[in-house]
Amino acid sequence: MALVICRQDTKIEQWKKALKTAAPDMEVYSCLEDHPKEKVKMALVWKHRPGSLKQYSNLECIASSGAGVDFIFEDSEAPKNLPITRVIDPILAGDMAEHVMALVFAYLKNLNQYKLDQTQKNWNPRAYARIKDFTIGILGLGTLGSVLAKDLVHVGFRVQGWSQSQKSIRSVKAFCGKTGLDAFLATTDILVCLLPLTPNTKGILNKELLGKLPKGSYLINVARGGHLIDKELLAALDTNHLKGAALDVFHEEPLGEGHPFWSHPKVHISPHCASVSDTDSVVPQIVENYRNLMSGKLLQNIVSMDRGY
Ligand code: NAP
């Protein structure tokens, strides 16, 4: 039995080394080296080459090395009816919360505008906002959204969240389902998207939804580019309905050179770096699931095939 690492970035060797260090007995291969395909029972994937998993006829589990699994569902040639697992990791959740909080404070205190002013040697003190001035609304109160919600409450923000099922998190106003969305949006000043990308959430950050936010709101999308209709965000910014947006994820990554987001004065861009799986922290759960698979035990962190997340 063997595990193959399938990804198209430069991190294969890092993952292989971490797995071999944690479990020297494990047979681990990179998709880039010659390897016995028939021995592969588990594929550890991150944005693998679509269609590449079908060469493993004995595959029993597809393990995402991140929290998201949308790229697996989008691979129409990936073997069907296999369990898909994902990463649930406190470090990943903590990193996301820190990134979003950094964006929120940069917005409150005009830090992005001051950087822009600096490039023009423009001395221009601006009015700043305070924690008490804002309600932060989080789309998705799952593993990442709930940690962010608690951290924001801890520093004193009013926080509310929206999810599929009703949640109960101390000091967080919880909304759920289609019926709860409008009331949630109407009272949100900073909207953070932390939904998984599924057929139900694709394009959810559109004209209609943005239009239901109060005038002068701010958008933070750290989930997936596919949640956002780019043109409709640009229109909301250019008509001053939204004050700005911070985007970490895009339809096309890296973001295309000619994309209007690059030069838009109200858009803050980061290169899909809000929260990145830490190999040291994540490898133990991959090894455990590999051993569970070998011994016929239940796998952890299985994705629901019906929900797609
Ligand atoms: P998760 O634990 O599965 O949580 C997803 C949340 O979204 C849940 O609260 C779920 O509601 C809610 N939800 C899903 N579909 C919904 C719908 N149609 N309507 C209302 N609520 C819905 O996921 P997670 O681990 O927090 O991760 C969220 C996403 O963050 C990932 O899928 C990934 O795309 C993104 N991410 C981005 C980065 C980055 O660096 N930018 C890093 C890691 C992850 P229920 O709880 O009721 O099911």
Side-chain angles (χ1 to χ4, degrees):
M1 170 165 170
L3 176 149
V4 66
I5 305 166
C6 300
R7 48 197 302 151
Q8 299 183 78
D9 61 9
T10 54
K11 294 187 177 169
I12 291 187
E13 286 310 316
Q14 185 188 330
W15 279 93
K16 189 173 169 186
K17 190 171 164 208
L19 283 163
K20 291 298 289 177
T21 305
D25 59 307
M26 248 170 99
E27 215 173 314
V28 181
Y29 297 102
S30 150
C31 64
L32 302 176
E33 67 186 323
D34 267 345
H35 57 286
K37 311 263 183 327
E38 70 291 348
K39 285 182 96 175
V40 170
K41 294 272 170 88
M42 184 184 259
L44 179 62
V45 297
W46 183 250
K47 297 185 180 173
H48 60 281
R49 191 166 48 77
S52 62
L53 297 180
K54 65 181 180 206
Q55 61 187 313
Y56 302 110
S57 52
N58 294 320
L59 198 61
E60 291 182 10
C61 169
I62 304 173
S64 169
S65 57
V69 291
D70 42 290
F71 62 96
I72 301 173
F73 284 100
E74 280 166 11
D75 177 2
S76 58
E77 293 178 84
K80 303 284 174 262
N81 306 319
L82 293 185
I84 296 175
T85 63
R86 72 186 194 100
V87 164
I88 296 183
D89 175 50
I91 292 189
L92 194 73
D95 287 354
M96 177 58 81
E98 287 180 17
H99 182 93
V100 173
M101 284 212 270
L103 293 171
V104 167
F105 280 110
Y107 173 57
L108 258 62
K109 304 301 173 190
N110 306 306
L111 302 188
N112 296 329
Q113 280 98 328
Y114 289 135
K115 191 70 212 169
L116 212 65
D117 290 345
Q118 187 181 341
T119 61
Q120 291 151 19
K121 300 185 181 170
N122 181 18
W123 184 269
N124 179 21
R126 297 161 188 269
Y128 54 80
R130 301 188 178 91
I131 290 173
K132 68 169 184 54
D133 297 331
F134 289 109
T135 297
I136 302 186
I138 306 169
L139 289 168
L141 280 179
T143 311
L144 304 183
S146 60
V147 169
L148 171 64
K150 287 175 200 159
D151 286 359
L152 288 167
V153 165
H154 186 70
V155 294
F157 284 100
R158 280 187 305 279
V159 183
Q160 52 192 29
W162 181 72
S163 51
Q164 186 100 294
S165 56
Q166 186 64 37
K167 303 286 177 214
S168 170
I169 303 173
R170 185 200 277 244
S171 301
V172 175
K173 198 168 174 190
F175 297 81
C176 75
K178 282 203 171 112
T179 48
L181 186 57
D182 286 5
F184 162 83
L185 293 169
T187 46
T188 287
D189 304 304
I190 300 177
L191 181 70
V192 182
C193 181
L194 267 173
L195 290 166
L197 186 63
T198 68
N200 287 332
T201 63
K202 191 173 178 195
I204 191 170
L205 302 174
N206 56 26
K207 183 181 169 184
E208 194 190 345
L209 178 143
L210 299 175
K212 289 175 180 168
L213 290 167
K215 189 170 165 56
S217 307
Y218 191 78
L219 172 71
I220 297 176
N221 186 19
V222 280
R224 285 290 180 265
H227 288 120
L228 179 66
I229 308 291
D230 295 4
K231 277 189 183 152
E232 298 182 1
L233 170 63
L234 288 165
L237 293 168
D238 293 340
T239 55
N240 290 325
H241 181 65
L242 289 193
K243 249 194 189 145
L247 309 174
D248 184 57
V249 286
F250 304 90
H251 285 269
E252 187 195 341
E253 294 180 358
L255 184 63
E257 213 177 298
H259 199 290
F261 285 158
W262 279 118
S263 52
H264 200 289
K266 290 183 177 174
V267 176
H268 177 276
I269 285 174
S270 53
H272 197 152
C273 61
S275 172
V276 178
S277 288
D278 177 282
T279 45
D280 290 342
S281 177
V282 167
V283 152
Q285 62 184 265
I286 305 296
V287 171
E288 193 173 341
N289 258 354
Y290 181 84
R291 301 214 190 288
N292 286 347
L293 192 66
M294 279 203 335
S295 56
K297 288 194 192 142
L298 279 183
L299 299 176
Q300 297 181 64
N301 305 338
I302 290 191
V303 167
S304 155
M305 290 298 175
D306 296 336
R307 297 184 316 179
Y309 66 94

